[in-house]
Amino acid sequence: MNLRDWFDSSFSGRGKAIGLEWDGAEYTFGEVDARGNRMARALAARGLVKGDRVCVYLANSIEMIDLYLACVKSGLIFVPINILYRDREMSHILGDADPKLLVTAADFPALLAAAATQSGERLPDCGLCANDPAALVYTSGTTGVSKGAILTHHNFAVNGKNLVESWRITAADRLLLAPPLFHVHALGNGLHGWLLAGCRMRLLERFDHTTVLAQFQDFQPTLFFGVPAMYVRLLDTPPEAAREIGRTMRLFVCGSAPLPAQVLEEFRDLFGHTILERYGMTETLMNISNPYEGERRPGSVGLPLPGVVVKIVGPDGNEVTAGETGELWLQGPNVFPGYWRREDASQAAFVDGWFKTGDIGSRSADGYYTLSGRKSDLIISGGFNIYPREIEEFLMEQPEIVEAAVIAEADRVRGEIPVAYIVWREGAVPAEIESRCREKLASFKIPRRFESIEKLPRNALGKVQKHLLCPVS
Ligand code: MLC
Ligand code: AMP
């Protein structure tokens, strides 16, 4: 099934029901649908046709939803770009995705004005197939260069159906959505869950820990999706307010990075809810989830979602037995077909039809999966992925730096933060190194400390031994 048909059947009969709250205003599903149709016509008027890429560099907003719906409805490929990215990071994506249109906040008023002159009536059929790409979502590869994961209508539809059924999302829910729509967490789970279930959603521009409590109190959601850093922030909620929120909430879901068992337990004491932890990836959307009914096991990501097949493979390429550790390989209708225009990387990502996640974990005798690490030195900070090599390459472009290594350090709120170890050219330690990083890199990638070191520890083959610098504790 393609998403357009599915959204249409979800919209039908709900035209007058309030579907969206954004920036203090309410919108019916009929208005959300018509806005998408108008935007689709405005894009068509600019000459965009099925298969063209639309890069979108926007913070969460109703306009981002308009654009997503417009793309889905007309077979355009939606390419969200992390709003925290700077020119250097964006230019790679723009070159690679080769879009017909880039939409930023600056161009938005003109596009919106054009959309306002269009009809909101149902669009003509555009011959969509289930395997047509709906989005390219860029994910930093182990090489430091990001690759566009092609996500089809079918990938998103299967994922959405799985989540709506597994997490019992219904039209009666009230979803408070705070994570950024440029990642699959908010896009694939939040936006699709909302549209497929036909519930009411209040969209926030971002998770701001100073105002989110007031949002909970005012909106009284039943459903919340967050990364662990958000749950750590919510632990600061005064006990009485937390209990009050807990009374109207139905389900808190967490993912994108490991949720420490202690946070799950402290959260349960405070809010009276056991967070449901699940595991996903840009390339596969959601794979494994703790059950809605049944044991939500602290420290575990749960059981495979319907249709997802998981095997754990040891270093010799053979499947290991329960309790043993190895790399998680996956198959399922949620798994992406490959990377955009990267045949080499796509081939390297699969073995005999199995997608190699790069995540290390084990399965218990009763079928629960636990993740214990990653094959690459990927750092996940607040749910945002950071490939050390990208930062190291930038640092080594600085004339004062001989070499640099970036590693993860444990952080109470963000899980991990990047720290740089730097070998400086003699006598040169520029104070402005941090501001140079800030100018060129997304804020979450900026090393939180710069440690000077005489030389980097290397093994006999010359490979940097990062574990000797400062292990994540
Ligand atoms: C973070 N920052 C933002 C921002 N999010 N700035 C603007 N808009 C946003 N949406 C920046 C701030 O500028 C700041 O930079 C730093 O991040 C921390 O901000 P903070 O206010 O102190 O926030 P904090 O309480 O630390 O929480 C950060 C956070 C953010 C949790 C809100 O990390 C976040 O939104 N994470 C969600 C990431 C996500 O959705 N990942 C899903 C990937 S998909 P500075 O420099 O001032 O410190 C995936 C698959 C799966 O992984 O399984 O889901
Ligand atoms: P991304 O490439 O941004 O989609 O990030 C996907 C990665 O996030 C996965 O490969 C995991 O390493 C990590 N991840 C997602 N959910 C969890 C979780 N519940 N626990 C631990 N790691 C997770």
Side-chain angles (χ1 to χ4, degrees):
M1 192 178 216
N2 68 62
L3 288 172
R4 173 177 164 167
D5 291 344
W6 204 354
F7 290 167
D8 278 352
S9 64
S10 183
F11 282 136
S12 80
R14 293 208 171 92
K16 293 204 165 66
I18 301 294
L20 177 65
E21 290 188 24
W22 162 252
D23 200 20
E26 293 180 345
Y27 301 83
T28 63
F29 277 112
E31 284 168 324
V32 170
D33 191 20
R35 287 179 66 108
N37 292 343
R38 282 192 204 103
M39 182 57 72
R41 290 194 167 88
L43 295 180
R46 291 207 179 184
L48 275 83
V49 294
K50 186 170 176 244
D52 283 342
R53 275 79 56 211
V54 178
C55 284
V56 175
Y57 181 70
L58 290 175
N60 285 359
S61 54
I62 192 172
E63 290 81 9
M64 194 155 170
I65 296 178
D66 295 342
L67 276 164
Y68 182 66
L69 283 176
C71 288
V72 161
K73 284 163 177 278
S74 30
L76 299 169
I77 306 176
F78 184 76
V79 188
I81 303 178
N82 188 326
I83 192 78
L84 300 171
Y85 280 2
R86 316 306 301 247
D87 288 355
R88 179 187 171 94
E89 294 148 321
M90 261 182 90
S91 59
H92 165 71
I93 296 180
L94 294 178
D96 194 70
D98 189 14
K100 201 63 160 293
L101 181 69
L102 162 67
V103 184
T104 69
D107 336 297
F108 211 81
L111 201 52
L112 214 55
T117 64
Q118 308 286 333
S119 153
E121 291 299 304
R122 194 185 154 82
L123 295 159
D125 188 43
C126 67
L128 272 174
C129 298
N131 289 332
D132 283 336
L136 297 184
V137 182
Y138 276 79
T139 160
S140 304
T142 43
T143 55
V145 176
S146 61
K147 303 183 290 272
I150 302 168
L151 290 163
T152 65
H153 281 250
H154 192 58
N155 293 144
F156 277 120
V158 165
N159 178 71
K161 183 172 185 291
N162 264 346
L163 303 189
V164 166
E165 287 173 2
S166 303
W167 300 343
R168 314 281 195 269
I169 309 175
T170 70
D173 270 310
R174 296 169 67 83
L175 169 65
L176 183 63
L177 193 68
L181 285 167
F182 50 74
H183 275 314
V184 301
H185 184 144
L187 184 70
N189 301 2
L191 196 110
H192 288 94
W194 162 59
L195 286 176
L196 299 179
C199 64
R200 183 190 280 230
M201 173 171 85
R202 178 180 286 192
L203 178 69
L204 302 183
E205 186 181 332
R206 60 166 300 201
F207 179 94
D208 174 350
H209 61 89
T210 62
T211 55
V212 77
L213 176 59
Q215 293 287 354
F216 268 100
Q217 290 169 324
D218 182 55
F219 182 57
Q220 302 191 350
T222 60
L223 185 58
F224 182 77
F225 298 141
V227 300
M230 297 177 184
Y231 288 102
V232 175
R233 291 289 193 199
L234 286 170
L235 291 178
D236 293 337
T237 308
E240 209 163 290
R243 268 193 304 277
E244 195 58 39
I245 290 167
R247 268 196 278 279
T248 46
M249 275 296 295
R250 182 179 67 78
L251 180 65
F252 289 96
V253 183
C254 182
S256 307
L259 175 69
Q262 197 195 337
V263 174
L264 180 143
E265 272 144 26
E266 285 178 26
F267 194 89
R268 181 162 52 202
D269 291 346
L270 197 58
F271 286 84
H273 281 262
T274 305
I275 298 169
L276 185 154
E277 185 175 3
R278 57 59 179 180
Y279 158 64
M281 285 186 85
T282 301
E283 289 90 337
T284 65
L285 305 172
M286 300 303 110
N287 300 308
I288 300 181
S289 168
N290 272 281
Y292 185 74
E293 278 140 15
E295 187 194 359
R296 298 183 194 167
R297 193 170 291 177
S300 163
V301 290
L303 309 158
L305 284 162
V308 180
V309 188
V310 186
K311 72 172 175 178
I312 301 190
V313 176
D316 58 2
N318 292 320
E319 197 168 350
V320 302
T321 55
E324 286 184 330
T325 297
E327 184 183 0
L328 273 73
W329 290 13
L330 298 169
Q331 275 185 351
N334 54 311
V335 177
F336 79 140
Y339 296 106
W340 177 252
R341 294 181 177 168
R342 288 290 307 272
E343 196 47 46
D344 52 337
S346 304
Q347 275 185 13
F350 288 90
V351 171
D352 298 334
W354 290 91
F355 175 66
K356 301 187 285 177
T357 64
D359 289 313
I360 305 294
S362 59
R363 183 181 60 246
S364 67
D366 60 353
Y368 278 70
Y369 286 80
T370 297
L371 301 179
S372 48
R374 293 179 291 270
K375 271 180 96 175
S376 70
D377 57 358
L378 168 73
I379 300 171
I380 305 186
S381 189
F384 286 122
N385 287 5
I386 303 168
Y387 276 94
R389 177 148 164 207
E390 185 191 350
I391 307 173
E392 288 160 3
E393 279 172 6
F394 172 72
L395 289 171
M396 284 192 270
E397 285 167 21
Q398 310 309 306
E400 303 87 348
I401 293 178
V402 182
E403 53 181 358
V406 172
I407 61 166
E409 189 175 279
D411 181 74
R412 189 185 76 85
V413 175
R414 295 180 196 156
E416 296 178 334
I417 47 168
V419 171
Y421 285 77
I422 296 183
V423 180
W424 302 100
R425 284 193 201 290
E426 221 172 318
V429 182
E432 76 278 12
I433 188 69
E434 183 182 341
S435 52
R436 277 195 225 161
C437 289
R438 227 167 240 289
E439 207 179 295
K440 301 285 182 195
L441 301 171
S443 62
F444 57 89
K445 296 181 190 168
I446 296 155
R448 299 290 144 163
R449 278 205 332 273
F450 295 87
E451 299 282 354
S452 302
I453 190 167
E454 248 172 56
K455 63 178 177 86
L456 296 178
R458 291 182 184 275
N459 66 14
L461 298 171
K463 190 171 162 19
V464 178
Q465 294 177 293
K466 288 192 171 180
H467 62 284
L468 296 179
L469 286 170
C470 171
V472 183
S473 56

